[in-house]
Amino acid sequence: MASFNRVILVGNLTRDPELRYIPSGTAVSDIGLAVNDRVKKGDQWVDEVTFVDITLWGRTAEIANEYLSKGSPVLIEGRLKLDRWEKDGQKHSKLKVTADKLQMLGAKDGARGGGGGGARKGGGGGGDQSQYDESDYMPAGGPPPNDDIPF
């Protein structure tokens, strides 16, 4: 029987990332994610929140610790993992996500947190188009030739 274990979640961090290093030197970070869903109950639309614990590894964990904080919006792609342990004779289990990919979706003004996109001349900020230079977007070696392309 075939199986498929992939999860894609978009939400906001519920706490600052907790970075630690295991004895081999690999970085590990645990984050909490709040994922909102809007469902209709009777005549009312109600927001339901699901809280998910996520584990990040390696450089992804270090980047999360450096750029993310509580409230940061992120997209996580990963797989489900069932953690099991025994404490005081009681068996416990918890379903978590082990992240393979992390995409920072943006940040509030003044907050730690990153978004996509690269640097612009003149720094960030307003919508002044004059700070863009056309040469920033030219391919190396100049503009492409003006040929008839058969497609």
Side-chain angles (χ1 to χ4, degrees), residues 42-112:
D43 295 354
Q44 300 283 338
W45 284 95
V46 179
D47 287 328
E48 289 184 352
V49 181
T50 302
F51 297 99
V52 182
D53 287 328
I54 298 170
T55 303
L56 306 166
W57 290 89
R59 184 70 182 130
T60 304
E62 293 173 333
I63 289 170
N65 187 62
E66 185 176 345
Y67 294 105
L68 298 177
S69 61
K70 181 178 179 178
S72 297
V74 294
L75 180 143
I76 299 286
E77 184 178 339
R79 61 191 183 281
L80 293 173
K81 183 176 185 306
L82 182 64
D83 283 346
R84 296 180 186 162
W85 69 96
E86 191 171 323
K87 182 177 179 183
D88 301 328
Q90 286 279 0
K91 292 184 178 181
H92 300 273
S93 63
K94 184 172 192 168
L95 195 58
K96 297 174 76 173
V97 172
T98 300
D100 296 324
K101 296 180 184 175
L102 164 74
Q103 176 67 50
M104 294 177 268
L105 299 178
K108 299 176 200 161
D109 289 344
R112 278 181 20 178

